[in-house]
Amino acid sequence: MDGLMMDFPLTLSMVMRRAELLFPEKEIVTRQPDRSFHRYTYSEWIRRSKKLALALKKLGVKDGDRIGSFCWNHYQHYELYFGIPAMGAVLHTLNLRLGAEDLSYIINHADDQILFIDESLLPLFEKFREKVSFKKVIVISQKGNIPEGMLDYEELLAAEDDKDFEYTDWDENKAISMCYTSGTTGKPKGTVYSHRSTVLHAMVCAMSSGLGLNQNDILLPVVPMFHANAWGIPFAAPLVGCGLVFPGPFLDPPSLLEAFEQEKVTITGGVPTIWIGMLKVLDENPTAYNLSKMRTLLVGGSAVPKSLIDDFESRHNLNIVHAWGMTEMSPLGTINSLKPRLINSDRPTQLNYRATQGLPVNLVEFRIRGDEGLLEFDGQSMGELEVRGPYIASAYYNSPEGADKFTEDGWFKTGDIATIDPDCYLEIKDRTKDLVKSGGEWISSVELENALMGHEAVAEAAVFAVAHEKWQERPLAAVVLQEGKSAGKDELIAHLAKEFPKWWLPDDVVFIEEIPKTSVGKFKKIVLRETFQNHLINPHS
Ligand code: ADP
């Protein structure tokens, strides 16, 4: 017997209609290239998104065409997020920190037809312009300086009347946007999101077991809109009617802190490197900013050291919430929260739990697999994490070689090595590619890094595998010291020895100026591995 409910599609049309009806006065604020703040309302945002949809039609864009965006976080980018799918095309957010090779590869692979680009990013475009071809390049400019042969975003919108726009009730499985993995491991691969997956993800993001959003929240995504949908924040906000603040190109701690204070931001999110930098500024100016409205710093993208959670809370009364996700998962996979039985536990216990990646969010199922099959959720057994759910990729875009990331029974293989405890707290121990396998046994580089970053003299630390004659691989630590502080190898190894078995301890510590980072601010261990590959075999090489 079938249920007798409407088979009603979950689409962005619904989200837009709701936002314009219920929250027309809500504000969207953007820090512009000249550092001034641009302000407008949801109602204006929807009107302009509709005009964009009409303009694209006039330009000959067809249903399903891919449209690239090469932009910082700002209100025009937000219009692209909704205006492009509103006329049936697919927004392809391009990571502006990638090199010319990766960018041209991604653009050609996705077959992008039109490019929207910030004026300030035109010099970057020159670096790959010869390798790609767009029918039109549309420039988003504050001053209206448009190079010859390109179109002015504002002029395009000005020529349209939003009253000509009609909502389409799309098939909920239709594509709305795509994003390529940033290639921390291997060639970038494309994830394609649908109306349905995006609406479901936005709802989960808004729930109390997600970010617990409500109309009083003001969100500032530090995470770029070109990185995994800015973690879903741009879609969750209009479901609930949250205020939005976009930082534009200004991601340095003082600019962000100023925006947090001025706009009374309640929730923000970004990768750990952002908060490591911010902590330093806050420590130096502990009373300079009033952040009393801030209730959550959502931090993920790579593991958050326990010391960072502790320092933010104990020194600045700011609450870091650890989350884990992937581009292929829209991206939220887990968010940390303390189960009721832990609320009254002592601080060290709480911190231990809060440093884990947390509990699976709604609609995500997970399991771990070892060499011999599925593993227990006992907090000890380490294996590759597999996930499934309605906003998790079922395939990569035009990528036969990506097929081996999916199991025969329909789960996605994350490439992350994890444990899950009996309460379902997930702990990511490593990426399969970053694991250190010493004499056949796994050592978690993430745990060692976190412990090193807990030492008061250490600013950043990365642990990675290098070749070893006897054990095949051994861990080596690369450490960046805090300015003005000192610590030697023996002291750092002794610090680790308090917590880890002897065979886990790095064979050596190298002190460097900076850890190389990927385009989205993660440690680029591949570079460290290459630089130091013979360090233990021939330490003087
Ligand atoms: P890529 O790093 O390949 O560009 P993503 O940005 O989608 O792709 O990153 C997903 C990966 O980032 C995860 O598979 C995981 O390895 C890592 N990651 C994300 N969040 C966390 C976290 N909180 N702790 C540890 N690793 C994380």
Side-chain angles (χ1 to χ4, degrees), residues 181-185 227 300-303 322-328 357 414 416 428 431 520 522:
T181 59
S182 50
T184 311
T185 55
H227 186 210
S302 49
H322 193 181
W324 163 87
M326 299 182 74
T327 303
E328 293 89 336
Q357 279 68 16
T414 63
D416 284 341
I428 301 285
R431 275 196 144 179
V520 291
K522 303 185 189 195

mmCIF file with all atom_site columns, all heavy atoms in Angstrom, residues 181-185 227 300-303 322-328 357 414 416 428 431 520 522, ligand 1:
data_model
loop_
_atom_site.group_PDB
_atom_site.id
_atom_site.type_symbol
_atom_site.label_atom_id
_atom_site.label_alt_id
_atom_site.label_comp_id
_atom_site.label_asym_id
_atom_site.label_entity_id
_atom_site.label_seq_id
_atom_site.pdbx_PDB_ins_code
_atom_site.Cartn_x
_atom_site.Cartn_y
_atom_site.Cartn_z
_atom_site.occupancy
_atom_site.B_iso_or_equiv
_atom_site.pdbx_formal_charge
_atom_site.auth_seq_id
_atom_site.auth_comp_id
_atom_site.auth_asym_id
_atom_site.auth_atom_id
_atom_site.pdbx_PDB_model_num
ATOM   1   N N   . THR A 1 181 ? 36.546 18.507 -5.798 1.00 0.00 ? 181 THR A N   1
ATOM   2   C CA  . THR A 1 181 ? 37.372 18.352 -4.602 1.00 0.00 ? 181 THR A CA  1
ATOM   3   C C   . THR A 1 181 ? 38.654 19.113 -4.880 1.00 0.00 ? 181 THR A C   1
ATOM   4   O O   . THR A 1 181 ? 39.088 19.190 -6.032 1.00 0.00 ? 181 THR A O   1
ATOM   5   C CB  . THR A 1 181 ? 37.729 16.877 -4.339 1.00 0.00 ? 181 THR A CB  1
ATOM   6   O OG1 . THR A 1 181 ? 38.428 16.379 -5.479 1.00 0.00 ? 181 THR A OG1 1
ATOM   7   C CG2 . THR A 1 181 ? 36.490 16.048 -4.106 1.00 0.00 ? 181 THR A CG2 1
ATOM   8   N N   . SER A 1 182 ? 39.252 19.663 -3.842 1.00 0.00 ? 182 SER A N   1
ATOM   9   C CA  . SER A 1 182 ? 40.383 20.535 -4.109 1.00 0.00 ? 182 SER A CA  1
ATOM   10  C C   . SER A 1 182 ? 41.656 19.758 -4.384 1.00 0.00 ? 182 SER A C   1
ATOM   11  O O   . SER A 1 182 ? 42.724 20.332 -4.528 1.00 0.00 ? 182 SER A O   1
ATOM   12  C CB  . SER A 1 182 ? 40.569 21.518 -2.957 1.00 0.00 ? 182 SER A CB  1
ATOM   13  O OG  . SER A 1 182 ? 40.577 20.826 -1.752 1.00 0.00 ? 182 SER A OG  1
ATOM   14  N N   . GLY A 1 183 ? 41.556 18.445 -4.474 1.00 0.00 ? 183 GLY A N   1
ATOM   15  C CA  . GLY A 1 183 ? 42.697 17.681 -4.932 1.00 0.00 ? 183 GLY A CA  1
ATOM   16  C C   . GLY A 1 183 ? 43.804 17.558 -3.904 1.00 0.00 ? 183 GLY A C   1
ATOM   17  O O   . GLY A 1 183 ? 44.964 17.476 -4.257 1.00 0.00 ? 183 GLY A O   1
ATOM   18  N N   . THR A 1 184 ? 43.426 17.538 -2.598 1.00 0.00 ? 184 THR A N   1
ATOM   19  C CA  . THR A 1 184 ? 44.436 17.261 -1.579 1.00 0.00 ? 184 THR A CA  1
ATOM   20  C C   . THR A 1 184 ? 45.084 15.922 -1.912 1.00 0.00 ? 184 THR A C   1
ATOM   21  O O   . THR A 1 184 ? 46.257 15.698 -1.689 1.00 0.00 ? 184 THR A O   1
ATOM   22  C CB  . THR A 1 184 ? 43.782 17.189 -0.183 1.00 0.00 ? 184 THR A CB  1
ATOM   23  O OG1 . THR A 1 184 ? 42.955 18.322 -0.012 1.00 0.00 ? 184 THR A OG1 1
ATOM   24  C CG2 . THR A 1 184 ? 44.821 17.167 0.909  1.00 0.00 ? 184 THR A CG2 1
ATOM   25  N N   . THR A 1 185 ? 44.272 15.029 -2.466 1.00 0.00 ? 185 THR A N   1
ATOM   26  C CA  . THR A 1 185 ? 44.782 13.745 -2.912 1.00 0.00 ? 185 THR A CA  1
ATOM   27  C C   . THR A 1 185 ? 44.317 13.543 -4.344 1.00 0.00 ? 185 THR A C   1
ATOM   28  O O   . THR A 1 185 ? 43.125 13.510 -4.609 1.00 0.00 ? 185 THR A O   1
ATOM   29  C CB  . THR A 1 185 ? 44.211 12.612 -2.044 1.00 0.00 ? 185 THR A CB  1
ATOM   30  O OG1 . THR A 1 185 ? 42.788 12.718 -2.078 1.00 0.00 ? 185 THR A OG1 1
ATOM   31  C CG2 . THR A 1 185 ? 44.657 12.726 -0.611 1.00 0.00 ? 185 THR A CG2 1
ATOM   32  N N   . HIS A 1 227 ? 34.302 26.645 -1.651 1.00 0.00 ? 227 HIS A N   1
ATOM   33  C CA  . HIS A 1 227 ? 34.725 25.413 -0.993 1.00 0.00 ? 227 HIS A CA  1
ATOM   34  C C   . HIS A 1 227 ? 33.521 24.705 -0.382 1.00 0.00 ? 227 HIS A C   1
ATOM   35  O O   . HIS A 1 227 ? 33.008 25.104 0.657  1.00 0.00 ? 227 HIS A O   1
ATOM   36  C CB  . HIS A 1 227 ? 35.779 25.720 0.084  1.00 0.00 ? 227 HIS A CB  1
ATOM   37  C CG  . HIS A 1 227 ? 36.352 24.487 0.696  1.00 0.00 ? 227 HIS A CG  1
ATOM   38  N ND1 . HIS A 1 227 ? 36.819 24.408 1.978  1.00 0.00 ? 227 HIS A ND1 1
ATOM   39  C CD2 . HIS A 1 227 ? 36.540 23.249 0.183  1.00 0.00 ? 227 HIS A CD2 1
ATOM   40  C CE1 . HIS A 1 227 ? 37.244 23.189 2.224  1.00 0.00 ? 227 HIS A CE1 1
ATOM   41  N NE2 . HIS A 1 227 ? 37.081 22.469 1.150  1.00 0.00 ? 227 HIS A NE2 1
ATOM   42  N N   . GLY A 1 300 ? 36.288 22.994 11.029 1.00 0.00 ? 300 GLY A N   1
ATOM   43  C CA  . GLY A 1 300 ? 36.478 21.687 10.416 1.00 0.00 ? 300 GLY A CA  1
ATOM   44  C C   . GLY A 1 300 ? 37.314 21.834 9.173  1.00 0.00 ? 300 GLY A C   1
ATOM   45  O O   . GLY A 1 300 ? 37.931 22.872 8.945  1.00 0.00 ? 300 GLY A O   1
ATOM   46  N N   . GLY A 1 301 ? 37.304 20.802 8.342  1.00 0.00 ? 301 GLY A N   1
ATOM   47  C CA  . GLY A 1 301 ? 38.132 20.830 7.133  1.00 0.00 ? 301 GLY A CA  1
ATOM   48  C C   . GLY A 1 301 ? 39.443 20.126 7.375  1.00 0.00 ? 301 GLY A C   1
ATOM   49  O O   . GLY A 1 301 ? 39.996 19.472 6.507  1.00 0.00 ? 301 GLY A O   1
ATOM   50  N N   . SER A 1 302 ? 39.966 20.241 8.590  1.00 0.00 ? 302 SER A N   1
ATOM   51  C CA  . SER A 1 302 ? 41.015 19.353 9.076  1.00 0.00 ? 302 SER A CA  1
ATOM   52  C C   . SER A 1 302 ? 40.872 19.316 10.598 1.00 0.00 ? 302 SER A C   1
ATOM   53  O O   . SER A 1 302 ? 40.062 20.073 11.162 1.00 0.00 ? 302 SER A O   1
ATOM   54  C CB  . SER A 1 302 ? 42.411 19.789 8.617  1.00 0.00 ? 302 SER A CB  1
ATOM   55  O OG  . SER A 1 302 ? 42.616 21.132 8.857  1.00 0.00 ? 302 SER A OG  1
ATOM   56  N N   . ALA A 1 303 ? 41.614 18.413 11.221 1.00 0.00 ? 303 ALA A N   1
ATOM   57  C CA  . ALA A 1 303 ? 41.356 18.155 12.641 1.00 0.00 ? 303 ALA A CA  1
ATOM   58  C C   . ALA A 1 303 ? 41.630 19.387 13.498 1.00 0.00 ? 303 ALA A C   1
ATOM   59  O O   . ALA A 1 303 ? 42.576 20.121 13.262 1.00 0.00 ? 303 ALA A O   1
ATOM   60  C CB  . ALA A 1 303 ? 42.224 16.995 13.109 1.00 0.00 ? 303 ALA A CB  1
ATOM   61  N N   . HIS A 1 322 ? 33.501 21.383 16.738 1.00 0.00 ? 322 HIS A N   1
ATOM   62  C CA  . HIS A 1 322 ? 34.276 20.635 15.745 1.00 0.00 ? 322 HIS A CA  1
ATOM   63  C C   . HIS A 1 322 ? 33.315 19.895 14.811 1.00 0.00 ? 322 HIS A C   1
ATOM   64  O O   . HIS A 1 322 ? 32.354 19.277 15.263 1.00 0.00 ? 322 HIS A O   1
ATOM   65  C CB  . HIS A 1 322 ? 35.171 19.638 16.499 1.00 0.00 ? 322 HIS A CB  1
ATOM   66  C CG  . HIS A 1 322 ? 36.233 19.007 15.669 1.00 0.00 ? 322 HIS A CG  1
ATOM   67  N ND1 . HIS A 1 322 ? 37.104 18.084 16.163 1.00 0.00 ? 322 HIS A ND1 1
ATOM   68  C CD2 . HIS A 1 322 ? 36.573 19.179 14.366 1.00 0.00 ? 322 HIS A CD2 1
ATOM   69  C CE1 . HIS A 1 322 ? 37.940 17.703 15.206 1.00 0.00 ? 322 HIS A CE1 1
ATOM   70  N NE2 . HIS A 1 322 ? 37.628 18.360 14.106 1.00 0.00 ? 322 HIS A NE2 1
ATOM   71  N N   . ALA A 1 323 ? 33.585 19.976 13.516 1.00 0.00 ? 323 ALA A N   1
ATOM   72  C CA  . ALA A 1 323 ? 32.749 19.264 12.546 1.00 0.00 ? 323 ALA A CA  1
ATOM   73  C C   . ALA A 1 323 ? 33.649 18.622 11.499 1.00 0.00 ? 323 ALA A C   1
ATOM   74  O O   . ALA A 1 323 ? 34.783 19.056 11.292 1.00 0.00 ? 323 ALA A O   1
ATOM   75  C CB  . ALA A 1 323 ? 31.786 20.233 11.875 1.00 0.00 ? 323 ALA A CB  1
ATOM   76  N N   . TRP A 1 324 ? 33.133 17.608 10.879 1.00 0.00 ? 324 TRP A N   1
ATOM   77  C CA  . TRP A 1 324 ? 33.877 16.913 9.813  1.00 0.00 ? 324 TRP A CA  1
ATOM   78  C C   . TRP A 1 324 ? 32.959 16.777 8.605  1.00 0.00 ? 324 TRP A C   1
ATOM   79  O O   . TRP A 1 324 ? 31.749 16.579 8.759  1.00 0.00 ? 324 TRP A O   1
ATOM   80  C CB  . TRP A 1 324 ? 34.320 15.525 10.302 1.00 0.00 ? 324 TRP A CB  1
ATOM   81  C CG  . TRP A 1 324 ? 34.717 14.593 9.207  1.00 0.00 ? 324 TRP A CG  1
ATOM   82  C CD1 . TRP A 1 324 ? 35.958 14.480 8.639  1.00 0.00 ? 324 TRP A CD1 1
ATOM   83  C CD2 . TRP A 1 324 ? 33.886 13.634 8.532  1.00 0.00 ? 324 TRP A CD2 1
ATOM   84  N NE1 . TRP A 1 324 ? 35.940 13.527 7.653  1.00 0.00 ? 324 TRP A NE1 1
ATOM   85  C CE2 . TRP A 1 324 ? 34.684 12.992 7.575  1.00 0.00 ? 324 TRP A CE2 1
ATOM   86  C CE3 . TRP A 1 324 ? 32.550 13.260 8.643  1.00 0.00 ? 324 TRP A CE3 1
ATOM   87  C CZ2 . TRP A 1 324 ? 34.191 12.000 6.722  1.00 0.00 ? 324 TRP A CZ2 1
ATOM   88  C CZ3 . TRP A 1 324 ? 32.061 12.283 7.796  1.00 0.00 ? 324 TRP A CZ3 1
ATOM   89  C CH2 . TRP A 1 324 ? 32.884 11.655 6.853  1.00 0.00 ? 324 TRP A CH2 1
ATOM   90  N N   . GLY A 1 325 ? 33.532 16.927 7.442  1.00 0.00 ? 325 GLY A N   1
ATOM   91  C CA  . GLY A 1 325 ? 32.711 16.730 6.249  1.00 0.00 ? 325 GLY A CA  1
ATOM   92  C C   . GLY A 1 325 ? 33.586 16.631 5.028  1.00 0.00 ? 325 GLY A C   1
ATOM   93  O O   . GLY A 1 325 ? 34.811 16.654 5.115  1.00 0.00 ? 325 GLY A O   1
ATOM   94  N N   . MET A 1 326 ? 32.938 16.513 3.904  1.00 0.00 ? 326 MET A N   1
ATOM   95  C CA  . MET A 1 326 ? 33.648 16.380 2.633  1.00 0.00 ? 326 MET A CA  1
ATOM   96  C C   . MET A 1 326 ? 32.830 17.035 1.539  1.00 0.00 ? 326 MET A C   1
ATOM   97  O O   . MET A 1 326 ? 31.590 17.043 1.607  1.00 0.00 ? 326 MET A O   1
ATOM   98  C CB  . MET A 1 326 ? 33.807 14.905 2.262  1.00 0.00 ? 326 MET A CB  1
ATOM   99  C CG  . MET A 1 326 ? 34.590 14.098 3.256  1.00 0.00 ? 326 MET A CG  1
ATOM   100 S SD  . MET A 1 326 ? 34.787 12.398 2.705  1.00 0.00 ? 326 MET A SD  1
ATOM   101 C CE  . MET A 1 326 ? 36.007 12.590 1.414  1.00 0.00 ? 326 MET A CE  1
ATOM   102 N N   . THR A 1 327 ? 33.504 17.544 0.521  1.00 0.00 ? 327 THR A N   1
ATOM   103 C CA  . THR A 1 327 ? 32.828 18.099 -0.642 1.00 0.00 ? 327 THR A CA  1
ATOM   104 C C   . THR A 1 327 ? 31.753 17.118 -1.134 1.00 0.00 ? 327 THR A C   1
ATOM   105 O O   . THR A 1 327 ? 30.641 17.516 -1.488 1.00 0.00 ? 327 THR A O   1
ATOM   106 C CB  . THR A 1 327 ? 33.876 18.350 -1.752 1.00 0.00 ? 327 THR A CB  1
ATOM   107 O OG1 . THR A 1 327 ? 34.874 19.210 -1.222 1.00 0.00 ? 327 THR A OG1 1
ATOM   108 C CG2 . THR A 1 327 ? 33.256 18.956 -2.977 1.00 0.00 ? 327 THR A CG2 1
ATOM   109 N N   . GLU A 1 328 ? 32.092 15.842 -1.127 1.00 0.00 ? 328 GLU A N   1
ATOM   110 C CA  . GLU A 1 328 ? 31.176 14.805 -1.642 1.00 0.00 ? 328 GLU A CA  1
ATOM   111 C C   . GLU A 1 328 ? 29.958 14.613 -0.745 1.00 0.00 ? 328 GLU A C   1
ATOM   112 O O   . GLU A 1 328 ? 29.030 13.899 -1.095 1.00 0.00 ? 328 GLU A O   1
ATOM   113 C CB  . GLU A 1 328 ? 31.921 13.457 -1.740 1.00 0.00 ? 328 GLU A CB  1
ATOM   114 C CG  . GLU A 1 328 ? 33.022 13.413 -2.771 1.00 0.00 ? 328 GLU A CG  1
ATOM   115 C CD  . GLU A 1 328 ? 34.380 13.862 -2.209 1.00 0.00 ? 328 GLU A CD  1
ATOM   116 O OE1 . GLU A 1 328 ? 34.393 14.615 -1.212 1.00 0.00 ? 328 GLU A OE1 1
ATOM   117 O OE2 . GLU A 1 328 ? 35.405 13.470 -2.777 1.00 0.00 ? 328 GLU A OE2 1
ATOM   118 N N   . GLN A 1 357 ? 35.596 14.344 16.118 1.00 0.00 ? 357 GLN A N   1
ATOM   119 C CA  . GLN A 1 357 ? 34.837 14.971 15.032 1.00 0.00 ? 357 GLN A CA  1
ATOM   120 C C   . GLN A 1 357 ? 33.342 14.975 15.331 1.00 0.00 ? 357 GLN A C   1
ATOM   121 O O   . GLN A 1 357 ? 32.582 15.647 14.629 1.00 0.00 ? 357 GLN A O   1
ATOM   122 C CB  . GLN A 1 357 ? 35.138 14.261 13.707 1.00 0.00 ? 357 GLN A CB  1
ATOM   123 C CG  . GLN A 1 357 ? 36.438 14.713 13.038 1.00 0.00 ? 357 GLN A CG  1
ATOM   124 C CD  . GLN A 1 357 ? 37.706 14.316 13.781 1.00 0.00 ? 357 GLN A CD  1
ATOM   125 O OE1 . GLN A 1 357 ? 37.705 13.460 14.643 1.00 0.00 ? 357 GLN A OE1 1
ATOM   126 N NE2 . GLN A 1 357 ? 38.801 14.963 13.439 1.00 0.00 ? 357 GLN A NE2 1
ATOM   127 N N   . THR A 1 414 ? 35.290 7.191  2.099  1.00 0.00 ? 414 THR A N   1
ATOM   128 C CA  . THR A 1 414 ? 35.767 8.551  2.351  1.00 0.00 ? 414 THR A CA  1
ATOM   129 C C   . THR A 1 414 ? 37.272 8.715  2.165  1.00 0.00 ? 414 THR A C   1
ATOM   130 O O   . THR A 1 414 ? 37.753 9.823  1.989  1.00 0.00 ? 414 THR A O   1
ATOM   131 C CB  . THR A 1 414 ? 35.436 8.983  3.796  1.00 0.00 ? 414 THR A CB  1
ATOM   132 O OG1 . THR A 1 414 ? 36.140 8.098  4.680  1.00 0.00 ? 414 THR A OG1 1
ATOM   133 C CG2 . THR A 1 414 ? 33.951 8.937  4.072  1.00 0.00 ? 414 THR A CG2 1
ATOM   134 N N   . ASP A 1 416 ? 39.163 8.331  4.583  1.00 0.00 ? 416 ASP A N   1
ATOM   135 C CA  . ASP A 1 416 ? 39.601 8.702  5.929  1.00 0.00 ? 416 ASP A CA  1
ATOM   136 C C   . ASP A 1 416 ? 39.670 7.442  6.796  1.00 0.00 ? 416 ASP A C   1
ATOM   137 O O   . ASP A 1 416 ? 38.812 6.562  6.698  1.00 0.00 ? 416 ASP A O   1
ATOM   138 C CB  . ASP A 1 416 ? 38.607 9.680  6.580  1.00 0.00 ? 416 ASP A CB  1
ATOM   139 C CG  . ASP A 1 416 ? 38.742 11.079 6.020  1.00 0.00 ? 416 ASP A CG  1
ATOM   140 O OD1 . ASP A 1 416 ? 39.787 11.383 5.421  1.00 0.00 ? 416 ASP A OD1 1
ATOM   141 O OD2 . ASP A 1 416 ? 37.795 11.872 6.173  1.00 0.00 ? 416 ASP A OD2 1
ATOM   142 N N   . ILE A 1 428 ? 38.663 10.943 13.429 1.00 0.00 ? 428 ILE A N   1
ATOM   143 C CA  . ILE A 1 428 ? 39.443 10.745 12.203 1.00 0.00 ? 428 ILE A CA  1
ATOM   144 C C   . ILE A 1 428 ? 40.903 10.636 12.615 1.00 0.00 ? 428 ILE A C   1
ATOM   145 O O   . ILE A 1 428 ? 41.441 11.522 13.280 1.00 0.00 ? 428 ILE A O   1
ATOM   146 C CB  . ILE A 1 428 ? 39.284 11.963 11.254 1.00 0.00 ? 428 ILE A CB  1
ATOM   147 C CG1 . ILE A 1 428 ? 37.821 12.180 10.887 1.00 0.00 ? 428 ILE A CG1 1
ATOM   148 C CG2 . ILE A 1 428 ? 40.167 11.813 10.023 1.00 0.00 ? 428 ILE A CG2 1
ATOM   149 C CD1 . ILE A 1 428 ? 37.239 11.215 9.904  1.00 0.00 ? 428 ILE A CD1 1
ATOM   150 N N   . ARG A 1 431 ? 44.188 10.349 6.833  1.00 0.00 ? 431 ARG A N   1
ATOM   151 C CA  . ARG A 1 431 ? 43.699 10.022 5.496  1.00 0.00 ? 431 ARG A CA  1
ATOM   152 C C   . ARG A 1 431 ? 44.463 8.792  5.037  1.00 0.00 ? 431 ARG A C   1
ATOM   153 O O   . ARG A 1 431 ? 45.622 8.632  5.407  1.00 0.00 ? 431 ARG A O   1
ATOM   154 C CB  . ARG A 1 431 ? 43.983 11.183 4.560  1.00 0.00 ? 431 ARG A CB  1
ATOM   155 C CG  . ARG A 1 431 ? 42.903 12.221 4.626  1.00 0.00 ? 431 ARG A CG  1
ATOM   156 C CD  . ARG A 1 431 ? 42.972 13.141 3.451  1.00 0.00 ? 431 ARG A CD  1
ATOM   157 N NE  . ARG A 1 431 ? 41.613 13.487 3.080  1.00 0.00 ? 431 ARG A NE  1
ATOM   158 C CZ  . ARG A 1 431 ? 41.290 14.305 2.098  1.00 0.00 ? 431 ARG A CZ  1
ATOM   159 N NH1 . ARG A 1 431 ? 42.222 14.843 1.354  1.00 0.00 ? 431 ARG A NH1 1
ATOM   160 N NH2 . ARG A 1 431 ? 40.044 14.570 1.832  1.00 0.00 ? 431 ARG A NH2 1
ATOM   161 N N   . VAL A 1 520 ? 42.876 25.236 0.222  1.00 0.00 ? 520 VAL A N   1
ATOM   162 C CA  . VAL A 1 520 ? 41.842 25.546 1.210  1.00 0.00 ? 520 VAL A CA  1
ATOM   163 C C   . VAL A 1 520 ? 42.401 25.538 2.634  1.00 0.00 ? 520 VAL A C   1
ATOM   164 O O   . VAL A 1 520 ? 41.677 25.369 3.604  1.00 0.00 ? 520 VAL A O   1
ATOM   165 C CB  . VAL A 1 520 ? 40.607 24.609 1.091  1.00 0.00 ? 520 VAL A CB  1
ATOM   166 C CG1 . VAL A 1 520 ? 39.854 24.905 -0.174 1.00 0.00 ? 520 VAL A CG1 1
ATOM   167 C CG2 . VAL A 1 520 ? 41.007 23.148 1.143  1.00 0.00 ? 520 VAL A CG2 1
ATOM   168 N N   . LYS A 1 522 ? 44.656 23.483 4.161  1.00 0.00 ? 522 LYS A N   1
ATOM   169 C CA  . LYS A 1 522 ? 45.031 22.264 4.891  1.00 0.00 ? 522 LYS A CA  1
ATOM   170 C C   . LYS A 1 522 ? 46.523 22.009 4.720  1.00 0.00 ? 522 LYS A C   1
ATOM   171 O O   . LYS A 1 522 ? 47.111 22.456 3.735  1.00 0.00 ? 522 LYS A O   1
ATOM   172 C CB  . LYS A 1 522 ? 44.263 21.076 4.326  1.00 0.00 ? 522 LYS A CB  1
ATOM   173 C CG  . LYS A 1 522 ? 42.782 21.288 4.379  1.00 0.00 ? 522 LYS A CG  1
ATOM   174 C CD  . LYS A 1 522 ? 42.061 20.058 3.924  1.00 0.00 ? 522 LYS A CD  1
ATOM   175 C CE  . LYS A 1 522 ? 40.595 20.374 3.773  1.00 0.00 ? 522 LYS A CE  1
ATOM   176 N NZ  . LYS A 1 522 ? 39.771 19.201 3.678  1.00 0.00 ? 522 LYS A NZ  1
HETATM 177 P P1  . ADP B 2 .   ? 39.972 17.823 -0.238 1.00 0.00 ? 1   ADP B P1  1
HETATM 178 O O1  . ADP B 2 .   ? 40.736 17.977 1.056  1.00 0.00 ? 1   ADP B O1  1
HETATM 179 O O2  . ADP B 2 .   ? 40.251 16.559 -0.947 1.00 0.00 ? 1   ADP B O2  1
HETATM 180 O O3  . ADP B 2 .   ? 40.026 19.006 -1.073 1.00 0.00 ? 1   ADP B O3  1
HETATM 181 P P2  . ADP B 2 .   ? 37.495 18.332 1.135  1.00 0.00 ? 1   ADP B P2  1
HETATM 182 O O4  . ADP B 2 .   ? 37.776 19.757 1.295  1.00 0.00 ? 1   ADP B O4  1
HETATM 183 O O5  . ADP B 2 .   ? 36.169 17.887 0.749  1.00 0.00 ? 1   ADP B O5  1
HETATM 184 O O6  . ADP B 2 .   ? 38.450 17.709 0.102  1.00 0.00 ? 1   ADP B O6  1
HETATM 185 O O7  . ADP B 2 .   ? 37.988 17.669 2.445  1.00 0.00 ? 1   ADP B O7  1
HETATM 186 C C1  . ADP B 2 .   ? 37.517 16.468 2.950  1.00 0.00 ? 1   ADP B C1  1
HETATM 187 C C2  . ADP B 2 .   ? 38.540 15.861 3.839  1.00 0.00 ? 1   ADP B C2  1
HETATM 188 O O8  . ADP B 2 .   ? 39.033 16.791 4.777  1.00 0.00 ? 1   ADP B O8  1
HETATM 189 C C3  . ADP B 2 .   ? 38.014 14.731 4.667  1.00 0.00 ? 1   ADP B C3  1
HETATM 190 O O9  . ADP B 2 .   ? 37.986 13.539 3.931  1.00 0.00 ? 1   ADP B O9  1
HETATM 191 C C4  . ADP B 2 .   ? 39.005 14.681 5.808  1.00 0.00 ? 1   ADP B C4  1
HETATM 192 O O10 . ADP B 2 .   ? 40.171 13.969 5.464  1.00 0.00 ? 1   ADP B O10 1
HETATM 193 C C5  . ADP B 2 .   ? 39.371 16.115 5.987  1.00 0.00 ? 1   ADP B C5  1
HETATM 194 N N1  . ADP B 2 .   ? 38.598 16.699 7.080  1.00 0.00 ? 1   ADP B N1  1
HETATM 195 C C6  . ADP B 2 .   ? 37.514 17.482 7.010  1.00 0.00 ? 1   ADP B C6  1
HETATM 196 N N2  . ADP B 2 .   ? 37.106 17.845 8.240  1.00 0.00 ? 1   ADP B N2  1
HETATM 197 C C7  . ADP B 2 .   ? 37.955 17.260 9.118  1.00 0.00 ? 1   ADP B C7  1
HETATM 198 C C8  . ADP B 2 .   ? 38.057 17.233 10.536 1.00 0.00 ? 1   ADP B C8  1
HETATM 199 N N3  . ADP B 2 .   ? 37.225 17.908 11.313 1.00 0.00 ? 1   ADP B N3  1
HETATM 200 N N4  . ADP B 2 .   ? 39.034 16.497 11.070 1.00 0.00 ? 1   ADP B N4  1
HETATM 201 C C9  . ADP B 2 .   ? 39.912 15.810 10.310 1.00 0.00 ? 1   ADP B C9  1
HETATM 202 N N5  . ADP B 2 .   ? 39.874 15.802 8.971  1.00 0.00 ? 1   ADP B N5  1
HETATM 203 C C10 . ADP B 2 .   ? 38.905 16.520 8.376  1.00 0.00 ? 1   ADP B C10 1
#
